[in-house]
C-alpha cells in the first residue's frame, strides 16, 4: 500500500502533499478520540416490544431515548434465531457455522454448565481485540458460550479466555427450571435424553435373555447384572439431575469463582446494573468496553418488587420495563461521568421473541415481533429482525432511521475499527463496518446477500441488490407449524431445523420483503417475471458462500452437549453457597 502510494507520488508530488490533509479530514469526520463502548443485549426481546418500534402500551422510555439520540435500525438481523449461535456470531463477526457453534441436531444451544462445547479459544472476539488495544473490558450478565473443555478448572471457553477481564454473570442462561414454580422445559428434554439409552439397554437385555433361553449363546449372569446396574445408574443420575438442576446449572459467577449457587432472583437486575455502573465509575478515565447482557426477558420471567405487577403486560411486561430501567441507569451514569458523547452505545436483542412460551397456567409469556411472522428459532422475519439502536452523540445523527439490511455480526468490525484494532487476516469475517451507513457516507448496505441459517442448515438467503429497493428472500425449507395454522411450533416448544420438522421447497419459496414484509405472498413465475433469474443468482451466491466454509469441530455435538459430572463446578459438596454479600 505504502509502496504504491510512493510510486504514485513520484508522478504526483502535489497530491502527496495533500495526502496528510486528506487523511486528517477523514479522521476528523470521526471522533478523533477512540470511543468507549457500551453494548446492551436483551434476551428474547421482540422487535414489537420497545416503544420506539411502535409499541404503545409497554413503557420503554430509556430504550426509546437511545432511538431519539441515535440511529434506529429497522432491518437489523441476527445471524441465527437462537441464543448460543447468535451470540457466537455477535462476538466474532462470523456466521456460527464457521466456529462450529451451529448444531446439526435438534438442540441448538447449551443446556448445562458442565458440558464441554463452547466458543473455541481460537476464535477472536471484539473483546480480545479491544483488550489488546488497552481497553478495560467487562461482560456482565449472560454468556451462554461454554465454560470448560475437559476439567472443571480449565475455563477454556470462559469469558476471561475471550478477552473479558471482568465477568459477573451466569455462564449458561436463565431457564424456567432455575426458578421454583416457573415450570420446566429443559428437564423434559433431559428425560428424553435418558430414555433413549434406557430403551436401548432394555432391548439389549431382552435380546440377551432370549439368546440365553434358546441356548444360542452362553451369556454369563455377570453381564445381566452389569447391564441392570448401568440402567439403575442412569435412572439415579436422571433423578439426581432433575433434583439438583438448579444449583448445577443456575449459578452466578464473579470471574472464575462461584458467587451464588443457585442464583437468587431477588433484585437480580439491580445487582447486575450496580455491577455495570460500578465498572463505569472505576474505568471512567480509561477506554472501556462494557457488554451488559441481560438475563431478561427470557423465561423464567422475574422482576423486583418495584416493577412487579406494574406493567400492562403481566410478568413479561414487568421484566421488559425493569430492563428498560436498567438501561436508564447505565445512560444516567454515562451522563454523570461526562462520558455520554465519548461512548458508543448499542442496544439489541439476541433474536426475536419466543412465541411458544407459556406459563405453567398456559398463559402466553413471550413478547411481540410486531407485524412479522414467526419468532425465536425460525428464520421468518419475526425470528431474526430485532431492535437495533446505535447512539454516539455528535458523531452519528440523532433521531435517524435506517432501513438497509444490517447484521449483529457488524458490531465486530465496527467496534474493532473504531478502537484502532486490525481485523484478523487469517479468517473470513462476515460482518461489515457500520459507520459509513450510520454517518450517511453511503446509502447502500454492504450486505448484498445474507445467509439465514437454522442451526447448521442453510434455511434462507436474502438478496438486496445494490441500487434497488427489492429485498428478495428465498427459503429452501420452512418449519412445520404445530398445530397447523399456528404461528409457531407449539408441540415442540421451539421449531426444529431438519427432518420431518420442516417442509422442503423446490423451487425455493421467494418473497419480496420490500412489498411483503409479513412474508404472506410467495412469488411465482407469473407474479414475478424475473423469478428464475433471481433464484439463479441466489444459487450462484450460495455456491460461492459454501466454498468459503471449512470443516470445524462441532461444538454442539451430542458429546459436547451432555452433562459431564467431572466438569461440574460446585462450591463445597452441597453445591450451594451465597457469597454475594
Ligand atoms: C431489593 O431492592 C429493594 C429496593 O431497591 C430494597 O428495598 C431491598 O432491600 C433489596 N433487597 C435486597 C435483599 O437486597
Ligand atoms: C406491545 O408488547 C406487548 C408485550 O410483548 C404485546 O402484547 C403487544 O401486542 C405489543 N403491542 C404492539 C402494538 O405491538
Ligand atoms: C449505485 O448508485 C451509486 C450512486 O447513485 C453509484 O455510485 C453506484 O455505482 C451504483 N451501484 C451499482 C451497483 O449500480
Ligand atoms: C430492481 O429490480 C427489479 C426486479 O428485479 C427490476 O424490475 C427493476 O428494474 C430494478 N430497479 C432498478 C432501479 O434497478
Amino acid at each position: 500500500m505504502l509502496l504504491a502510494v510512493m510510486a504514485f507520488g513520484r508522478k504526483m508530488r502535489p497530491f502527496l502533499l495533500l495526502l496528510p490533509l486528506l487523511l486528517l479530514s477523514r479522521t476528523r469526520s470521526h471522533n478523533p478520540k477512540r470511543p468507549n463502548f457500551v453494548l446492551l443485549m436483551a434476551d428474547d426481546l421482540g422487535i414489537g416490544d420497545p416503544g420506539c418500534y411502535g409499541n404503545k402500551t409497554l413503557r420503554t422510555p430509556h430504550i426509546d431515548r437511545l432511538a431519539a439520540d441515535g440511529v434506529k435500525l429497522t432491518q437489523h438481523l441476527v445471524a441465527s434465531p437462537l441464543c448460543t449461535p447468535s451470540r457466537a456470531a455477535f462476538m466474532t463477526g462470523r456466521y456460527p457455522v464457521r466456529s462450529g457453534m451451529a448444531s446439526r441436531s435438534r438442540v441448538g444451544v447449551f443446556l448445562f454448565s458442565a458440558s464441554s462445547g463452547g466458543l473455541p479459544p481460537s476464535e477472536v472476539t471484539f473483546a480480545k481485540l479491544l483488550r489488546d488495544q488497552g481497553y478495560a473490558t467487562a461482560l456482565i450478565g449472560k454468556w451462554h458460550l461454554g465454560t470448560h473443555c475437559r476439567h472443571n478448572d480449565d475455563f477454556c471457553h470462559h469469558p476471561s479466555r475471550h478477552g473479558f477481564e471482568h465477568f459477573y454473570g451466569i455462564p449458561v442462561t436463565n431457564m424456567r427450571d432455575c426458578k421454583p414454580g416457573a415450570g420446566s422445559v429443559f428437564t423434559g428434554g433431559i428425560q428424553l435424553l435418558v430414555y433413549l439409552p434406557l430403551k436401548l439397554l432394555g432391548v439389549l437385555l431382552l435380546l440377551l435373555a432370549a439368546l440365553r433361553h434358546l441356548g444360542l449363546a452362553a451369556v454369563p449372569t455377570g453381564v445381566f447384572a452389569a447391564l441392570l446396574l448401568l440402567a439403575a445408574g442412569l435412572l439415579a443420575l436422571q433423578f439426581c439431575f432433575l433434583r439438583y438442576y438448579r444449583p448445577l446449572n443456575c449459578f452466578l459467577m464473579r470471574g472464575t469463582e462461584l458467587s451464588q449457587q443457585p442464583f437468587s432472583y431477588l433484585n437480580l437486575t439491580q445487582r447486575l446494573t450496580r455491577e455495570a455502573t460500578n465498572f463505569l465509575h472505576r474505568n471512567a478515565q480509561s477506554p472501556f468496553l462494557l457488554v451488559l447482557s441481560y438475563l431478561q426477558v427470557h423465561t423464567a420471567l422475574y422482576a423486583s418488587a418495584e416493577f412487579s405487577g406494574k406493567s400492562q403486560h403481566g410478568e413479561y411486561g414487568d421484566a421488559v420495563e425493569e430492563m428498560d430501567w436498567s438501561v436508564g441507569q447505565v445512560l444516567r451514569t454515562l451522563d454523570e461521568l461526562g462520558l455520554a458523547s465519548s461512548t458508543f452505545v448499542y442496544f439489541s436483542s439476541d433474536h426475536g421473541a419466543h412465541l411458544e412460551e407459556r406459563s405453567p397456567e398456559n398463559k402466553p409469556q413471550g413478547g411481540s415481533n410486531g407485524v412479522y411472522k414467526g419468532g425465536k428459532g425460525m428464520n421468518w422475519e419475526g425470528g431474526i429482525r430485532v431492535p437495533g439502536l446505535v447512539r454516539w452523540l455528535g458523531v452519528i445523527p440523532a433521531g435517524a432511521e435506517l432501513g438497509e439490511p444490517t447484521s449483529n455480526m457488524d458490531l465486530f468490525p465496527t467496534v474493532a475499527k473504531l478502537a484502532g484494532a486490525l481485523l484478523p487476516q487469517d479468517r473470513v469475517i462476515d460482518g461489515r463496518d457500520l459507520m459509513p451507513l450510520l454517518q450517511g457516507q453511503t446509502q447502500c448496505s454492504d450486505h448484498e446477500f445474507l445467509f439465514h441459517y437454522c442451526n447448521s442448515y442453510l434455511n434462507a438467503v436474502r438478496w438486496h441488490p445494490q441500487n434497488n429497493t427489492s429485498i428478495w428472500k428465498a427459503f429452501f425449507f420452512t418449519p412445520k407449524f404445530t398445530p397447523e395454522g399456528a404461528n409457531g411450533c407449539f408441540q415442540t416448544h421451539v421449531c426444529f431445523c431438519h427432518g420431518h420438522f420442516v417442509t422442503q421447497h423446490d423451487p425455493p419459496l421467494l418473497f419480496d420483503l420490500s412489498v411483503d414484509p409479513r412474508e404472506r405472498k410467495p412469488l411465482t413465475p407469473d407474479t414475478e417475471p424475473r423469478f428464475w433469474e433471481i433464484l439463479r443468482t441466489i444459487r450462484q451466491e450460495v455456491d460461492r458462500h459454501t466454498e468459503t466454509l471449512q470443516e470445524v469441530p462441532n461444538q454442539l455435538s451430542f458429546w459436547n452437549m451432555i452433562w459431564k459430572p467431572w466438569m461440574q463446578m460446585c462450591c463445597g459438596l452441597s453445591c450451594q453457597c451465597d457469597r454475594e454479600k
Side-chain angles (χ1 to χ4, degrees):
M1 166 66 193
L2 196 63
L3 277 178
V5 168
M6 283 168 67
F8 191 51
R10 245 178 232 128
K11 278 195 195 137
M12 297 194 60
R13 276 182 200 265
F15 175 78
L16 198 62
L17 287 175
L18 274 175
L19 202 62
L21 270 180
L22 283 173
L23 286 175
L24 251 185
S25 69
R26 270 193 64 178
T27 40
R28 280 259 169 80
S29 74
H30 282 213
N31 194 325
K33 220 177 132 228
R34 300 183 300 168
N36 305 304
F37 298 93
V38 171
L39 312 181
L40 306 161
M41 178 68 70
D43 199 359
D44 287 14
L45 181 77
I47 193 169
D49 288 326
C52 53
Y53 283 91
N55 201 306
K56 301 244 171 347
T57 45
L58 257 180
R59 291 164 301 186
T60 58
H62 301 103
I63 296 170
D64 301 348
R65 189 182 137 199
L66 284 176
D69 292 349
V71 174
K72 175 168 87 174
L73 306 172
T74 57
Q75 199 185 161
H76 194 46
L77 303 151
V78 288
S80 171
L82 282 180
C83 307
T84 295
S86 167
R87 286 159 190 266
F90 171 62
M91 290 285 169
T92 61
R94 287 147 59 77
Y95 287 112
V97 274
R98 298 199 195 277
S99 52
M101 296 292 272
S103 166
R104 291 174 205 160
S105 66
R106 287 189 207 175
V107 185
V109 301
F110 296 117
L111 303 178
F112 310 126
S113 68
S115 56
S116 53
L119 190 64
S122 56
E123 288 297 316
V124 177
T125 65
F126 54 75
K128 223 183 246 177
L129 294 179
L130 265 59
R131 186 201 52 198
D132 293 348
Q133 292 294 310
Y135 274 71
T137 55
L139 174 77
I140 294 169
K142 161 170 162 167
W143 173 241
H144 213 180
L145 296 173
T147 310
H148 305 294
C149 291
R150 287 198 177 79
H151 309 289
N152 66 1
D153 58 359
D154 64 34
F155 297 101
C156 74
H157 300 307
H158 184 269
S160 60
R161 262 309 261 286
H162 284 293
F164 291 102
E165 299 162 325
H166 184 77
F167 172 55
Y168 174 72
I170 60 169
V172 194
T173 181
N174 177 24
M175 298 191 205
R176 280 189 189 279
D177 311 80
C178 294
K179 192 179 174 198
S184 150
V185 169
F186 292 94
T187 42
I190 295 162
Q191 286 178 344
L192 286 181
L193 281 185
V194 175
Y195 285 160
L196 183 67
L198 268 184
K199 272 192 225 158
L200 288 178
L201 271 177
V203 170
L204 190 63
L205 271 169
L206 278 177
L207 198 74
L208 290 179
L211 287 178
R212 189 161 126 151
H213 184 72
L214 296 173
L216 291 173
V219 185
T221 316
V223 171
F224 287 98
L227 286 178
L228 279 172
L229 214 66
L230 192 62
L234 270 177
L235 272 175
L237 210 66
Q238 179 194 343
F239 174 78
C240 287
F241 198 82
L242 294 187
R243 177 139 168 54
Y244 296 105
Y245 185 86
R246 269 186 79 214
L248 297 188
N249 296 292
C250 316
F251 52 78
L252 205 54
M253 294 179 83
R254 178 175 293 284
T256 53
E257 302 288 321
L258 293 164
S259 170
Q260 196 176 42
Q261 186 177 30
F263 67 72
S264 150
Y265 285 89
L266 193 65
N267 289 359
L268 184 51
T269 307
Q270 274 79 356
R271 285 185 273 153
L272 295 171
T273 308
R274 196 176 328 123
E275 190 76 17
T277 54
N278 285 348
F279 173 82
L280 296 178
H281 277 281
R282 276 202 313 277
N283 294 287
Q285 305 305 324
S286 65
F288 58 79
L289 161 74
L290 166 65
V291 178
L292 179 50
S293 166
Y294 289 104
L295 276 52
Q296 285 163 328
V297 288
H298 200 288
T299 55
L301 295 173
Y302 71 95
S304 62
E306 264 172 85
F307 292 90
S308 273
K310 300 289 161 65
S311 78
Q312 292 181 41
H313 293 287
E315 283 182 84
Y316 182 84
D318 297 347
V320 175
E321 294 189 4
E322 184 171 61
M323 181 179 65
D324 179 74
W325 163 84
S326 172
V327 171
Q329 293 298 302
V330 170
L331 297 183
R332 201 176 87 181
T333 307
L334 291 177
D335 287 340
E336 285 168 2
L337 295 170
L339 297 171
S341 55
S342 54
T343 304
F344 176 105
V345 183
Y346 169 70
F347 176 87
S348 192
S349 177
D350 59 352
H351 46 68
H354 193 175
L355 304 177
E356 292 95 339
E357 279 292 359
R358 304 208 150 240
S359 70
E361 299 80 38
N362 205 26
K363 288 211 203 90
Q365 279 198 323
S368 159
N369 294 318
V371 302
Y372 302 108
K373 188 194 270 190
K376 175 175 181 174
M378 314 167 210
N379 281 304
W380 293 114
E381 290 295 281
I384 53 176
R385 201 186 279 225
V386 292
L389 303 169
V390 192
R391 183 190 87 168
W392 186 3
L393 299 172
V395 180
I396 62 175
E401 203 174 301
L402 201 97
E404 283 286 296
T406 54
S407 166
N408 71 339
M409 298 183 289
D410 296 343
L411 272 295
F412 179 89
T414 308
V415 165
K417 185 159 178 219
L418 290 173
L422 292 176
L423 294 183
Q425 297 299 309
D426 59 345
R427 62 197 70 204
V428 180
I429 303 292
D430 299 296
R432 296 284 179 267
D433 183 7
L434 281 173
M435 287 308 280
L437 264 181
L438 293 174
Q439 294 194 302
Q441 286 157 3
T442 170
Q443 267 67 49
C444 272
S445 165
D446 227 9
H447 290 293
E448 191 173 344
F449 294 89
L450 275 169
F451 301 93
H452 301 303
Y453 281 89
C454 189
N455 286 345
S456 62
Y457 303 95
L458 184 59
N459 189 170
V461 177
R462 175 185 304 253
W463 178 30
H464 179 42
Q466 301 256 315
N467 296 355
N468 196 312
T469 52
S470 299
I471 305 162
W472 310 111
K473 188 174 172 192
F475 281 87
F476 303 114
F477 61 86
T478 49
K480 279 185 196 155
F481 284 165
T482 52
E484 224 174 294
N487 189 24
C489 303
F490 288 85
Q491 268 162 27
T492 46
H493 189 69
V494 64
C495 292
F496 298 130
C497 307
H498 64 289
H500 64 276
F501 297 105
V502 301
T503 308
Q504 300 287 339
H505 298 287
D506 190 13
L509 270 192
L510 183 67
F511 296 92
D512 181 356
L513 300 181
S514 69
V515 294
D516 182 20
R518 297 165 191 236
E519 298 167 289
R520 291 217 173 135
K521 299 180 287 281
L523 301 169
T524 63
D526 292 333
T527 55
E528 173 51 57
R530 287 177 61 218
F531 186 83
W532 296 111
E533 189 190 325
I534 294 161
L535 289 181
R536 201 161 46 241
T537 309
I538 285 177
R539 279 197 205 283
Q540 276 167 2
E541 205 56 30
V542 168
D543 290 343
R544 203 172 307 167
H545 165 73
T546 311
E547 270 169 29
T548 69
L549 299 178
Q550 283 169 359
E551 197 62 43
V552 290
N554 177 4
Q555 299 297 326
L556 289 147
S557 64
F558 182 77
W559 177 248
N560 279 334
M561 297 269 291
I562 56 173
W563 176 62
K564 299 186 178 140
W566 61 92
M567 287 177 52
Q568 183 65 50
M569 288 187 77
C570 272
C571 36
L573 274 178
S574 63
C575 295
Q576 313 242 348
C577 61
D578 190 351
R579 300 169 184 152
E580 277 288 274
K581 305 278 137 47

